[in-house]
Structure formats: structure tokens, C-alpha cells
Amino acid sequence: MAYIDTLIDNFDDNSINTSLWDVFGSSFVAETGGELRFNIPSYQAYPSIKSKSAYDFRSHAIYFKIVNVGVISTSDNYSYIAFTEDNDNGFELLFCNHAVQAWKKDSGVWSSLTSPITYDSSQHIWWRLLCTSLPDRLMISYSPDGGSYTTVYNGPWAVDPTAVYVEFGAGNDGAGTSSTFIIDNVNSSATYSVGKSALYKVSTIAAKTKSAKYSIIGDTTTQKAASYELYIDSTAQKTAEYVVTPIVTTQVSSAYSIQIDTSVAKGAGYNIGYTPIIEKTASYIVPAPEILDYSVLKKLKIGASFGPVTSVVLGRVPQNDNVVMSSDPPEALGVSSIDVGHDLLTVVGHGMSNGSIIRLRSSGDYPLPLQPDTNYYIFANDNPDTFSLAETYADTITETGIVPVYEFGMETLEAGSAPWSFDSVGTVSGFATATVDTSGQVYADNSIAFEATAYGSAVAEKTLTAGSAYGYAGVAVTIPLIWTLGDNEYCPLVTLKDSTGADIATLAIKYDSGYVLSVWVNETATWLDTGIPVDTGQVMRLQFGVSIGIATGYAKVWKNNSVESSPDYESGAINTGNLQIQKVCYGLSNIDYAIDAYYMDNFCYNTSFIQNLTVTGSSIDIRSVGSGGISIIGLETKEVQVNNNQLIDGDRQAALPNLYANLVGIGWKEVEADTVGLGWHEVGDVVRFEQGDVVADGFISEAHLVFDGSIRESLVSVIPDVTTTDYQSAGGILKTLYNTEIKVDKQENDITSIVSQQSVYASEVQEDFTEVYQNIDNIALTIQKSGGGNLILNSVGFAKESATDAGSTSYEKLSFWDYNSGYDVDTNGTAISYTSSESQNAGGTSGQVIELAGANIAITQRVNVAAGEPLSIAMRVRNEVGDGDATITVSNDHESFEVTIDDTVDYDWEEIKKENFVSTMPWLDITIAVTNATKFRITDLRLLYGDTAQNWMQASSEMLSANVQFTKDGMKISDTVHDTETQVTYNEFSTRRKSDGLTLFEADDNGVITNDLTIKGVTNYHDGDKTIIKQITIPSSKSMAGVAWIKVV
Amino acid sequence: MITHTATFENLAKAPVRQTDIVVARQLADPYGYYDGEVIWTSSDYLMSVSIDAVGAFLGTATKKATVKLLGIVDAAASGDIFQVRTGLYNEDPSVSGYEYISQGFFIVDTVEYDYEAGSTTVTMYDHMWSAQNTSYPTGAFAFPTTIYGLAQQIAASLGVDLMEGFDALPNATFAIDSDPYATISNATLQTVLGEIAAATGTIARISDTTLVFYQFRLNESVA
């Protein structure tokens, strides 16, 4: 379906274009003086014009000019512009009672979109209605000059924007007065009102240039125009060559015309100069690259590629500006489904964000308009599993240009062949004249002709059987018509029916004045948005017919818009019922009745004049949709670094987004080419080189032109020097940005020196820096070291010690954690720790968990912190539904933060964190408490300095594992082979057997040896001044036991 | 690209072409440049003209014209400004003669006389070369300003116009509080233009007498 901005009419030919408009109340509507006028009489009348076709509004806009709104001083007179989906759904701009107001009609119920706005004839001249997409939103704006628009409504779209009819009209309910409503320039003001300001600038420069005698003014003018990225029409340019004095705008306006058709546009930086044009026309311009092929090339060499750029970094590093590339593209992700109604693709857990670039892969066909080897930009939404696609990065930012993914491939149907099959031709009856040709040979290949005489009884329709699954079905037909009588109303129809024969939708090919004998008229209608689901084996019916009982209607249907130049149809019978129908049509007293669906229902089907003829066998186009075999792939990282730029170093964060939007997605190839001497290329031009199917986009970095009797031109496109950075192998750090800078502010009389390192991890950014700030009064030093040690000791329970509870029950206590006051294992519960591969599989780092179970157990650790410094706490927890409540509390006398684990929610090692909080006191208590817990597990508990929670790490004063534990209190080694545990502290050195707690060796600071202490050697002899003792045993039986070594001189 | 008409394009692609080249001294007045008396054409002095342009992505582009003249011609001196125009003859009788495009305005750098061969070689560069040879004038530009404002001041100091639409470029309104080049000893105006280009995602070049910051723009696909 054509977009709304293709509905163009400047009303300049003084004849209403009946191929665009249906006219109702034609005696009151006239195209006069280059305008469309509704001449409302002093009696009741409701003239209007309505677009013959519906238009697709999505991401497109319509604008028009109201030259004279007419009499709107009472409710008896009004003017309006309506946009309708059908009889019961639409919206309109209503001018009435001195005001303009937007209304919508939803399922037949009217409601206001805006409040009444007092009509201002000096301001409310140009109107623009724009549909943004995803979600579809409607913007209604006005402008006094077609330049700067003021928006009066920006809200939800009022109807289905995919098929909208446009209607202008005015009325007098009988109590009003005569009036004239004048409109003009429906999507057609570009040349006049759009280019005027830019035109003046170009023209002014032309006037200042004095090179006329060499016929260079025109060239200079066009050269100047390049700076505006505008192309001066060559014919008009000739006229302008003789303009050598300061000129008035109007004079040049008539001499120049500015072409905004980018297919003929020349010059650089189109988007700059086109910006005002785009704004004023609500249009979208995609520049077309210049293409050089063999016809103008002498030599062509294509090399390596650069891009597309996927990321931009502003850095300050001790190296020149450069470009860094990094590979390792992500794995392809399968598209599980496509929501054609909302242009959404589903890739579960795709993890992408707005602006991410992807390409498509498919094991089969690609759903049109999506193409392989083409960059698409992700437009994410709140659902992490779905996204839409846009063709440019800018579109993802402005929420426009969403690719309508439902527009899938056109599939040509051949009569009687897969994937659709047609039943037999059968016998056509009930017609005075009827012939059916299914041979496809008579008129054109792939054609089927039918001849309809709208006189007689209807015949049964034929069926179509789908051979494959299709998402949606539709019809695109071209019908050349010939009519035996002039000035008759006719309305050929194509009706799609379901398997039961019920009408689903009907497409009226044309409804307008007829044509005289032997005049062929092509009536093309595309009907693609039926929204009809089609499954394999489903039977559909397609029916062609002629709607009214008039003269013989002949229609021929074939694909590819191929039309016979010398048709040999003959005329048929005559029916005069059309006169009565005309009265019905024009006699409608309510504008709503002019909405097509209602009109067709009541006019075409509920009258006795309807006659249908079935076509049997044809070639039509059916759209298909499917997601099978389609996957998306992210692009390799192609990073542009702009380093050491003095201008934007002061605030790189502010500069980066703008730059990113401009650079992302670009890319080109290394090319060397010699042309035949074209001579207009400059460095920076983007040129597409083609050799057969090989296409290379080049970014001209060198251009050489030689004139020495002939013209020779060489163009060189080089790609930037690149450095490959394997971010993936950089210890988990994806990228690190270093910054060393000294900022001197002479106005503020201060100096700031910064040394920073910013590391980007998979999901977090860590920035360490030192900053020295010096002014006349003092020097301030700031140090931020994010990450570092965990402030919680024994945070996952590696360290344990034997203890006895209040009930004298021995238990294994988690070191550094305090338990409930009067802790009793039986009463309160247990707190144990153990290794857990399960937690690691779920993303945990330590592999060690603390498990709390019981009626009421709480473990607490007081942690010393720096007051006023940002802190973050994080952990992973597992708690199944019904396992009891748990709370993790961080508190002191002033602050308290609490995380509650609800036993009605299932936690599967989910990471819980609270970031960027501050303690006003130099300590915090970390408490983990459970009530009625079956099994609450926690791992990777950490309290860290910094405003973001880093990965788990141990405290800086400890080194803990399952068997070896160094803490601030000493060392403990667990030997599972010999079932021993050896501990060294400041006052103890001991070894115990773990199974029964038997002390095998122990020394403490009481001077008491509780076991025999033996020091063993390998021999026992005296050697000069040394005495070698094989073994010394200090018995433990005597409290005063010991050994003394006395030196004997 | 140098803006040209569809007619010129058709003439350039034609199998048979009649070419012309004009090198004309330019004089300036408040309304712009106009031709002086010294005009070399391919039918008199010009033996050859070569134009070489080199530039870099997110940097600047400089254009050089080497004009070789028949005989010892002492009509050019360093600092003179010439415009080079290339023309193609239009066979259409309804239009008059050659259709020209401007290859740019060039400032004479050196003039070499080859007495043995009897030729004169004039080497000229565009205003970007002038920017390259102009040290950054500390204190000459007003701060605080924006990137747009700085570009305007540099264009004015070079004697060229700044392109229309600069204010629509990325970061054009980025604020610069103080002179960032005040303490950099070896900065030139070209250095600053290059950094403006990098900050705005463009390439800086001189088209005739207009300083243009050109955005990379193509359809978004990559071959």
C-alpha cells in the first residue's frame, strides 16, 4: 500500500483528479485558481472529496494548506479534514464554532483528541499530520508558513495507520450560511515554500559573483550551492547566469527551482542542506550514492573493508588518533517468532539495546523488505525478548522508520501450480456474455482474462488452496477496463472470502465516472493488509466482480501490470439502474456515510445491481510470512577512537553520543579506480563502485586529476590504520580507557590534574582515579579506588572453628561471625558452610555457600568502614518457595538498609545488590537472619567501596579456601588425607585429629606442654663443637618440664 | 563532490569530449572574488594542470594544483589566488560553448622557471594549506565559545566562508570554556580544523572559498 506522502495534489490544473479523489456533491466542489474550493450554499449541503485509495500512514506524514477555512462561526457551518479507517473508526480535524479541534471515532463512538483551539487564520494555515511508529503515535501540527510547526497533539494513534483514507469537506446543516472552504497543496509545496530560504542564500551568493563573462556564474553558483547540499536545476541555472545584480527573492524564485529529488541531487552532505527541507515537508530523504561502473571506469581495484563502525570511544591516550578493531562476533541467535502486527521479532534473551547493529541470516528466503548483508539497528522495548528493526541508527533514536516486518515476500501464483492450487474452471453461467480463458496464452503470459457482464445472476466463486503456511494473504491486481458507455458509474470488485464463502474483505478497484468505448484504463489496486491468517491446506476464495448494474464490464487480470495494447473485447448489455444508484450515493446526508466500507456494504451488496463473476485460474501475488530459519547476528566490534581531542576533552561524555550517532554504521572499502576523467570528485565523497555483482562503497581519501591534453582522474579510497584488540582475552576486562590530563583554567585560576583508569567489564564499569585540584587557597587530593578487598571477613564461610552453644552442644562456628545472644543450636538453628558447584554453575564466583536453617538464627559481623565513602553490598541467594523468610541487614546507629527474602518467591542464586550508599558512622553491622527457614543459602557476599558492586572477592586481610585459611588471626591448614587440622596463631601451634578432636600436638603461651614434644633428628653424635641429637622428648607429665641449653666455654 | 549539472555529467561521460581548462587570477572585493586580468587557458599558456587532493577520515583534506605554463611567465607570485576551472564543450547549439565547473581556489606557493625547457611551473594549494602554515594565533580567538563559533572564527581568519548548516552538525554547540590550544606550541589552524572535524564526525575541506565539514553519508549498507 502506498504511503500517505504519495498522495500529492496541488490542485493546479483546474480539474479534480478523479484518479485520486472520489467527489461527493460535485456541484459544490471545484478545482479553481489552483485551489480546491468547497462552495457551500445557503441551504443544506455536505460536499466532500475522499481519497480513492487508502494510504499507509506509518512513519510518514501528510501536510496541506488551508487557504480559507470558510465560515465556522457557528455549529451550523463547519469544515473538516478526516482520516478514516472505515465507517466507524477514524479521526478528523474539525473547524467549527471559531475553533479547531481534533476528534477520533473509535468503533463508532466519538471522543475528543484535543481541546478546542481558537482558530487563528494567520497561524493555522499549514497542517501536518505525522505518524511515528512503535508505538504508533499521531502528531498533529500547524504552521503559518510551512516552516516551523507547532504541535497540538502528540498521542496515541487514533485508527489503524496501515490503511487510511483522506477526506476534505465542509457543510451547512441547513441553518448555516453560504461559505467557501479552500484547501491547497496536499503534499505538494516543496518547490515553493520549502526551498525558499535556502534558495535565497544561494541566489544571494550568485548575485555577488562577478564572473558572468566567462559563463561561470552558474558554475560558481552551483559550487556555492554545494555548501547547502542543493542542486540547481540546469535549465533554471541558465536563466540565472545573467543575474548579476542584487536580486529580489521572488525574481530568483521564479528563475530557480531547487530539486529535492535525491536521485538527481548532486553535492556533498545532503543531510545538512536537506534538514530544513525535511522539516518543512515532513519527508524523509535517503541520499542515493553516486555509482561508478565500467562505463566510466578505466581501472578498478577493490581491497579490504573497514566498518561498519559499531562503537565510538573518546579517549586520551599517549598515541595518535586511530581506529581500533576488535573481532569475535557473537553467536547467531534464532528468531523464534515474528509479530507482524507490531513489527516485532522475538529472540529470547537477546540482550541488545537501542542502536545495536545486527544482520540477518536465513536458511531460506528473507522476509521482505529485510535483506541479507544489510545492517539493521535494534529498537528495543521493555520486553527483553523482542525488538524491532530500523534501517538507520537515527531511526532508533527518533522512533521512526521502523521496518514493517510484515511486508514479506511477494509470491507469484501460477494458475494450477504450487503453492496454491485452483480448482477446475467449471462453467460460468448466468451471464449474457461470459468467457473465461485460463490458458495463459491468449493475451499474455501468466494472464487470465475474464469478461463480465454485470447483468444476470451471480455464479459460485472459485477456491484457492494454500500449499504452504502463510501468515497473511492479500491481493495485488491490475485491471484494465473497457466500457461500452460513457459517464456511467462502475465499481469492479475483488473479494477475498474464507473457506465458508463469507466475505472477508472487498477491494473496490474504482468508483468514478466511466470511460467511453474502446478506451482502456488501467486500474491498479494493491490490497496487502488483509490481516487474514492462512495455514497450510486452508481454502480461500477469490472472487472478481462488477459491482453495479451498468453496461457490460470487461476486465482482464494478470500480473506484472502487463496490459494488452489492442484488446479485442466486445460490448455487452445495458442496464440503466446506475442512475438510481447515483442518487443514493449523492443523497447521503452524513459525512460518515461516505466512508468506504459502509458505502460499499450498503451500496454494492445490498442492492439488486450487484453481479459477480468468478475468475478461475489466475496469477496473483500473495504475501507470505514466516520466521523459520531466520537468525540474527551481531556485528563484530568496529570501534572508532577519537583520542586527545582538545576541544571535547573537557566533557567527553557529553560529546560522545552525538558523535556516535553520526559515525555508527559507516564503513567502506579500499578502492583504487581510474575514471574517464569525470573531474567532480573531492576528498570525502562517498562513491559506490560496481563491477557486475561486486559492489564496493568507497570513501574518497585521495583524488588526482590531470589535464595534459586529455583528462585523467584517479580516485583512491583507503581504510584507516587499524589495531586489533582482543578484548575477550584481557582478563575479563572488555576495555580499559586511560586518561591522564591536566586542565588549566586561567579564568578560574585553578589547575586540575587527573589520572584515571576506567575498566569496562561485561556488565559494569569500574573507574579508579586520583585527582589533584589546586587553586590559590589550597590543594585537594581525591583518590577513588573502586573494587579492592571485601570488607566482610569470612564472607562465604571458609573459616570455621569449634564452639559450644548455650546448651553445651558443640558446633562448628563460622569464624568472625557473631551468633544470636544465647545461641542454642537446637533452639535457634544452624549456620553451616560448604562448597557448592551449583552456585558456581549459576554464576557464583566463590563456590562456597553459607546455609542458615532453623527457627530463628542470625549471624552478625561488624565491619569497619570509612564514613562518607560510597559503598555497595551484593550477594547471591537461593531460597525456594516456602523455605522461610530471610533478611540481610546493613545497619549502624544511624542508617539501616535491609533486603528481605520473601518465602513466597523463588530465588535461584539471584544476585541481590544495593549500590552507592553511604555510612555516616565508621562501622556497619552485617546481619543475616532467618526465621522458620528450611534452607536459606547465600554466597558471594561482599561489601565493597564504590558506587557499583564489583565481583566477589575476599577481604584484603584474608586468604581462604576449603583447606588453607589465612586470616588476620593466623593460619589453619586442613589435611583431609591425614584427618588433621593444624593451626598457627599468635599464641598457639597445634595439630588435632578432626574425626574425634584429639589433640596430637599443641603448644600454647602458658608454658605448658600438654603432650610430649619431640624434636627428631637423623643421627646422634658429637662433632667438634656441635652435638647432634637424634631425638629430644619433652615429657608432658611434669608441669615444669622443659629443656635448657647451657653454653660451656 | 563538486556540484555540477546533469549536462556536465553527460558531457563528461560522452565517448568524445572537447575539454578546456582555465586558470584565472582572482581579485577580491566585499562581494567576493572576480577574475583579474591574468587568465591562462589551454589555448595559450597552459601545458598541463594537475590537481591532487589528499585527506583523512575525521581530519582535513588539502588540495594542490600544479600548473605548468609554456614559456617563462612571471605573472604569478607567492600568495596570489587563482581559480582553476575545467570545461567541457556542449554541442547543443542552443547553449554557448563550454560548460565549466570550478576545481577550486588556490594560493600560489612556489613558481619555478625552467629556462632550459622554457616552462614555468606554478605550485598552488587551497586554503587548507594556508591553515596548515598558520600557527594557531593564541589570544586571537574569543573564548568561551562553541565549536561552531570556533569554526566561524577560523574560517574568517582564513578568508573563507563557513558552510551553511554547520550548526546542525554533531557537537556544533559543544561549549569550549577556555582556549584549549593556548599552551600548545606547535598547533596550527589546520590542527584545530582537524579536531573540529573529529569532534563533529566530519572531514574538513575547502570547496572554492567555503570551509565545508562533510559528513560521511551513504546508505547504511556496507559492501
Side-chain angles (χ1 to χ4, degrees):
Chain A
M1 180 169 293
Y3 284 111
I4 190 70
D5 51 12
T6 63
L7 176 62
I8 299 172
D9 200 338
N10 57 16
F11 305 110
D12 278 352
D13 60 359
N14 294 333
S15 175
I16 295 176
N17 185 345
T18 53
S19 67
L20 289 178
W21 307 100
D22 286 329
V23 181
F24 305 95
S26 59
S27 59
F28 306 117
V29 185
E31 194 171 303
T32 306
E35 301 163 338
L36 184 69
R37 292 171 176 259
F38 295 85
N39 300 306
I40 309 300
S42 58
Y43 50 90
Q44 187 181 51
Y46 310 94
S48 66
I49 65 167
K50 180 179 180 180
S51 65
K52 191 168 289 296
S53 302
Y55 294 89
D56 191 341
F57 229 124
R58 292 167 301 171
S59 300
H60 288 256
I62 183 174
Y63 66 93
F64 50 87
K65 182 180 181 182
I66 296 181
V67 179
N68 188 346
V69 77
V71 176
I72 57 170
S73 55
T74 69
S75 60
D76 297 319
N77 280 93
Y78 59 83
S79 304
Y80 69 91
I81 299 93
F83 302 87
T84 55
E85 177 187 350
D86 54 32
N87 185 42
D88 292 327
N89 296 281
F91 67 96
E92 69 177 25
L93 277 176
L94 179 65
F95 299 82
C96 188
N97 280 329
H98 298 289
V100 54
Q101 187 173 14
W103 292 81
K104 74 170 181 178
K105 190 177 187 182
D106 188 357
S107 300
V109 179
W110 285 102
S111 60
S112 61
L113 288 175
T114 68
S115 301
I117 303 167
T118 302
Y119 181 74
D120 184 343
S121 61
S122 65
Q123 295 293 317
H124 298 153
I125 298 174
W126 289 90
W127 288 85
R128 183 181 68 192
L129 292 93
L130 171 68
C131 175
T132 61
S133 60
L134 199 68
D136 293 327
R137 294 181 71 82
L138 170 65
M139 291 177 63
I140 303 175
S141 312
Y142 67 83
S143 167
D145 57 2
S148 177
Y149 278 86
T150 301
T151 298
V152 297
Y153 177 76
N154 182 357
W157 186 252
V159 297
D160 178 3
T162 59
V164 179
Y165 292 90
V166 181
E167 182 176 341
F168 295 89
N172 172 3
D173 64 3
T177 65
S178 59
S179 172
T180 304
F181 173 43
I182 306 175
I183 64 168
D184 200 358
N185 296 103
V186 176
N187 289 328
S188 70
S189 66
T191 299
Y192 171 67
S193 69
V194 171
K196 196 170 181 179
S197 59
L199 179 65
Y200 178 74
K201 296 172 185 174
V202 176
S203 305
T204 304
I205 294 170
K208 291 179 179 177
T209 307
K210 293 183 176 179
S211 301
K213 65 179 180 178
Y214 295 104
S215 299
I216 198 65
I217 274 189
D219 302 317
T220 306
T221 302
T222 53
Q223 182 69 27
K224 293 291 184 183
S227 63
Y228 304 99
E229 287 70 46
L230 294 172
Y231 170 57
I232 308 302
D233 177 82
S234 59
T235 304
Q237 179 184 320
K238 293 297 180 185
T239 307
E241 286 181 356
Y242 304 101
V243 180
V244 293
T245 57
I247 44 181
V248 297
T249 305
T250 52
Q251 180 182 348
V252 180
S253 296
S254 61
Y256 278 79
S257 66
I258 291 183
Q259 302 219 4
I260 61 170
D261 179 355
T262 55
S263 65
V264 297
K266 315 295 180 187
Y270 301 97
N271 56 328
I272 302 171
Y274 284 136
T275 298
I277 299 176
I278 292 170
E279 289 175 349
K280 293 178 180 179
T281 60
S283 62
Y284 300 87
I285 298 176
V286 179
E290 180 188 16
I291 297 175
L292 300 182
D293 60 14
Y294 68 92
S295 65
V296 293
L297 293 176
K298 293 180 175 178
K299 293 180 181 176
L300 177 62
K301 176 183 177 182
I302 300 173
S305 296
F306 166 74
V309 172
T310 58
S311 61
V312 179
V313 171
L314 299 184
R316 190 165 181 82
V317 295
Q319 63 184 51
N320 295 327
D321 294 353
N322 68 348
V323 176
V324 176
M325 297 171 59
S326 167
S327 57
D328 296 334
E331 294 294 323
L333 301 171
V335 177
S336 57
S337 66
I338 298 176
D339 181 351
V340 297
H342 299 89
D343 304 334
L344 290 172
L345 285 75
T346 298
V347 175
V348 176
H350 57 72
M352 293 178 290
S353 56
N354 275 0
S356 297
I357 309 177
I358 60 109
R359 291 186 177 185
L360 295 171
R361 282 179 178 167
S362 174
S363 57
D365 295 334
Y366 287 85
L368 293 175
L370 304 179
Q371 299 288 332
D373 300 326
T374 301
N375 301 332
Y376 293 102
Y377 297 83
I378 294 294
F379 184 85
N381 54 41
D382 293 336
N383 186 334
D385 297 333
T386 65
F387 57 86
S388 297
L389 298 176
E391 292 184 348
T392 68
Y393 176 79
D395 285 342
T396 66
I397 303 303
T398 59
E399 301 184 19
T400 58
I402 299 301
V403 177
V405 294
Y406 65 90
E407 285 189 354
F408 281 172
M410 298 289 287
E411 189 162 340
T412 300
L413 302 183
E414 302 295 341
S417 63
W420 290 70
S421 61
F422 295 82
D423 60 0
S424 60
V425 173
T427 301
V428 178
S429 60
F431 289 83
T433 305
T435 59
V436 175
D437 175 14
T438 58
S439 68
Q441 302 298 319
V442 175
Y443 302 104
D445 289 342
N446 302 321
S447 70
I448 175 65
F450 73 89
E451 178 184 19
T453 302
Y455 188 78
S457 59
V459 297
E461 63 274 3
K462 294 300 180 183
T463 60
L464 309 171
T465 303
S468 302
Y470 297 93
Y472 289 84
V475 181
V477 295
T478 297
I479 300 181
L481 298 166
I482 185 169
W483 301 97
T484 56
L485 296 177
D487 298 329
N488 284 299
E489 302 288 337
Y490 64 88
C491 188
L493 303 174
V494 180
T495 304
L496 197 62
K497 304 186 174 201
D498 65 15
S499 57
T500 67
D503 292 350
I504 297 173
T506 295
L507 177 68
I509 303 297
K510 185 176 178 64
Y511 176 77
D512 207 342
S513 297
Y515 299 89
V516 299
L517 180 65
S518 299
V519 175
W520 280 81
V521 178
N522 291 317
E523 301 297 347
T524 302
T526 305
W527 185 32
L528 299 175
D529 292 319
T530 62
I532 304 166
V534 179
D535 297 324
T536 303
Q538 180 172 335
V539 175
M540 302 289 292
R541 302 182 181 201
L542 188 65
Q543 187 174 50
F544 292 84
V546 180
S547 66
I548 61 175
I550 59 169
T552 302
Y554 299 97
K556 183 179 181 185
V557 184
W558 64 70
K559 72 171 187 177
N560 300 331
N561 296 340
S562 177
V563 180
E564 281 291 290
S565 59
S566 303
D568 54 357
Y569 290 111
E570 297 178 353
S571 61
I574 297 174
N575 186 300
T576 58
N578 58 310
L579 296 177
Q580 183 180 355
I581 295 169
Q582 281 188 328
K583 289 181 181 178
V584 173
C585 173
Y586 293 131
L588 297 174
S589 60
N590 189 311
I591 189 61
D592 299 331
Y593 293 167
I595 297 173
D596 232 24
Y598 183 91
Y599 176 77
M600 294 305 300
D601 287 345
N602 292 277
F603 174 52
C604 296
Y605 287 115
N606 298 336
T607 72
S608 60
F609 303 105
I610 304 304
Q611 306 298 336
N612 296 312
L613 177 69
T614 301
V615 65
T616 55
S618 178
S619 293
I620 58 175
D621 291 331
I622 303 293
R623 297 191 316 164
S624 63
V625 62
S627 60
I630 302 171
S631 59
I632 63 169
I633 54 171
L635 295 184
E636 302 171 355
T637 299
K638 298 289 193 305
E639 185 175 271
V640 170
Q641 287 194 358
V642 178
N643 290 326
N644 308 322
N645 190 302
Q646 302 292 331
L647 298 174
I648 51 179
D649 263 355
D651 191 355
R652 290 192 291 270
Q653 287 185 327
L656 182 58
N658 295 328
L659 203 52
Y660 177 78
N662 193 55
L663 298 179
V664 68
I666 67 173
W668 63 89
K669 275 188 176 292
E670 194 173 48
V671 177
E672 295 178 18
D674 292 346
T675 77
V676 296
L678 302 176
W680 53 69
H681 296 103
E682 293 182 286
V683 170
D685 289 348
V686 178
V687 178
R688 174 163 292 171
F689 298 89
E690 287 187 357
Q691 170 52 49
D693 294 333
V694 178
V695 176
D697 292 334
F699 180 74
I700 303 303
S701 51
E702 294 180 30
H704 305 281
L705 196 62
V706 177
F707 297 84
D708 54 359
S710 63
I711 304 177
R712 287 172 285 134
E713 183 185 48
S714 298
L715 303 175
V716 179
S717 167
V718 299
I719 60 176
D721 293 336
V722 297
T723 302
T724 301
T725 302
D726 184 3
Y727 289 133
Q728 300 300 323
S729 61
I733 298 177
L734 293 181
K735 49 181 116 174
T736 301
L737 309 179
Y738 299 94
N739 180 28
T740 304
E741 61 181 302
I742 297 178
K743 294 192 289 189
V744 179
D745 190 334
K746 292 182 177 178
Q747 293 187 345
E748 296 295 332
N749 198 27
D750 60 16
I751 301 172
T752 304
S753 172
I754 298 174
V755 178
S756 71
Q757 170 183 315
Q758 186 182 70
S759 300
V760 180
Y761 293 84
S763 61
E764 56 200 31
V765 177
Q766 174 177 322
E767 182 171 18
D768 302 334
F769 70 89
T770 61
E771 178 180 294
V772 180
Y773 174 80
Q774 176 184 359
N775 62 15
I776 194 66
D777 298 321
N778 60 18
I779 298 175
L781 172 64
T782 304
I783 301 175
Q784 174 172 309
K785 182 70 176 176
S786 55
N790 193 342
L791 298 175
I792 301 174
L793 299 175
N794 193 27
S795 55
V796 293
F798 277 123
K800 291 172 278 190
E801 58 194 61
S802 297
T804 304
D805 69 2
S808 301
T809 302
S810 297
Y811 70 100
E812 202 164 42
K813 179 179 177 296
L814 301 177
S815 301
F816 305 109
W817 291 93
D818 296 328
Y819 287 47
N820 309 49
S821 177
Y823 172 69
D824 181 89
V825 172
D826 296 332
T827 304
N828 297 107
T830 59
I832 61 174
S833 65
Y834 48 85
T835 58
S836 167
S837 58
E838 174 192 330
S839 67
Q840 281 186 308
N841 293 337
T845 302
S846 64
Q848 178 86 358
V849 303
I850 296 174
E851 178 184 306
L852 280 71
N856 176 25
I857 181 171
I859 60 175
T860 302
Q861 182 178 142
R862 176 158 295 187
V863 177
N864 295 325
V865 300
E869 290 295 319
L871 292 163
S872 297
I873 188 171
M875 68 216 77
R876 288 180 181 273
V877 300
R878 175 163 173 74
N879 197 37
E880 296 180 9
V881 171
D883 268 3
D885 293 329
T887 56
I888 297 93
T889 307
V890 181
S891 63
N892 56 27
D893 290 344
H894 294 164
E895 291 91 18
S896 180
F897 313 108
E898 184 174 282
V899 176
T900 301
I901 306 301
D902 190 343
D903 72 346
T904 62
V905 179
D906 194 14
Y907 294 82
D908 188 11
W909 298 116
E910 292 176 18
E911 174 124 318
I912 296 173
K913 64 177 72 172
K914 177 171 181 56
E915 297 178 318
N916 197 23
F917 62 91
V918 172
S919 171
T920 59
M921 301 183 70
W923 57 271
L924 285 169
D925 281 342
I926 313 298
T927 301
I928 307 170
V930 300
T931 54
N932 301 320
T934 304
K935 184 187 288 184
F936 172 70
R937 284 171 284 178
I938 185 170
T939 187
D940 291 358
L941 176 65
R942 68 270 194 197
L943 176 67
L944 304 161
Y945 285 119
D947 54 9
T948 58
Q950 311 297 317
N951 287 339
W952 176 84
M953 62 193 75
Q954 294 183 341
S956 57
S957 60
E958 67 185 14
M959 184 173 72
L960 303 175
S961 67
N963 296 326
V964 181
Q965 298 161 11
F966 289 90
T967 71
K968 67 184 181 64
D969 293 337
M971 176 185 72
K972 183 182 288 185
I973 300 172
S974 177
D975 185 342
T976 56
V977 176
H978 300 95
D979 189 30
T980 60
E981 184 178 87
T982 300
Q983 178 171 295
V984 177
T985 69
Y986 75 100
N987 65 351
E988 181 181 359
F989 179 21
S990 63
T991 300
R992 294 182 179 85
R993 196 159 61 209
K994 294 178 65 177
S995 58
D996 56 6
L998 177 65
T999 301
L1000 302 178
F1001 162 79
E1002 181 180 60
D1004 60 27
D1005 63 352
N1006 293 322
V1008 177
I1009 299 176
T1010 53
N1011 284 287
D1012 292 347
L1013 174 63
T1014 300
I1015 302 173
K1016 294 181 179 178
V1018 294
T1019 185
N1020 181 13
Y1021 61 92
H1022 182 77
D1023 180 13
D1025 59 351
K1026 294 187 293 185
T1027 298
I1028 308 302
I1029 300 172
K1030 183 177 181 182
Q1031 177 174 318
I1032 297 177
T1033 300
I1034 304 171
S1036 63
S1037 57
K1038 295 181 179 178
S1039 61
M1040 299 301 291
V1043 63
W1045 301 92
I1046 301 172
K1047 181 179 180 181
V1048 179
V1049 178
Chain B
M1 72 180 63
I2 298 171
T3 300
H4 55 282
T5 66
T7 303
F8 188 91
E9 186 163 327
N10 291 333
L11 294 173
K13 294 178 179 179
V16 178
R17 295 174 293 173
Q18 191 172 340
T19 63
D20 188 26
I21 186 163
V22 174
V23 180
R25 190 204 303 273
Q26 295 297 297
L27 303 176
D29 70 5
Y31 294 102
Y33 287 95
Y34 60 94
D35 285 0
E37 295 180 351
V38 177
I39 299 173
W40 302 315
T41 71
S42 52
S43 59
D44 46 42
Y45 290 97
L46 285 178
M47 296 173 65
S48 69
V49 175
S50 64
I51 297 172
D52 301 287
V54 178
F57 180 49
L58 303 181
T60 62
T62 306
K63 225 172 190 180
K64 170 187 175 184
T66 306
V67 178
K68 195 168 185 180
L69 303 170
L70 181 64
I72 305 302
V73 180
D74 56 359
S78 179
D80 289 353
I81 297 178
F82 284 83
Q83 184 189 30
V84 178
R85 308 168 194 144
T86 57
L88 295 169
Y89 189 75
N90 193 338
E91 301 286 352
D92 185 346
S94 64
V95 296
S96 55
Y98 287 90
E99 180 153 335
Y100 292 91
I101 63 173
S102 172
Q103 294 293 336
F105 284 58
F106 298 89
I107 304 167
V108 175
D109 181 27
T110 60
V111 183
E112 295 179 54
Y113 304 104
D114 187 337
Y115 299 105
E116 191 173 12
S119 64
T120 302
T121 301
V122 182
T123 304
M124 306 182 286
Y125 297 89
D126 68 1
H127 285 78
M128 190 61 76
W129 172 81
S130 177
Q132 185 179 345
N133 287 278
T134 304
S135 295
Y136 181 79
T138 301
F141 297 146
F143 291 93
T145 184
T146 61
I147 288 179
Y148 181 25
L150 183 59
Q152 286 177 313
Q153 295 182 68
I154 293 176
S157 71
L158 290 173
V160 296
D161 300 324
L162 181 63
M163 62 180 278
E164 289 291 327
F166 185 96
D167 54 343
L169 292 176
N171 295 324
T173 57
F174 187 90
I176 308 170
D177 296 332
S178 58
D179 188 347
Y181 303 98
T183 58
I184 298 177
S185 60
N186 58 349
T188 67
L189 290 182
Q190 188 203 28
T191 306
V192 184
L193 291 176
E195 298 213 337
I196 292 176
T200 56
T202 58
I203 181 170
R205 70 186 183 202
I206 304 288
S207 290
D208 272 3
T209 57
T210 301
L211 174 59
V212 176
F213 290 85
Y214 178 73
Q215 286 180 294
F216 184 102
R217 189 55 59 184
L218 184 65
N219 60 340
E220 300 295 333
S221 66
V222 175

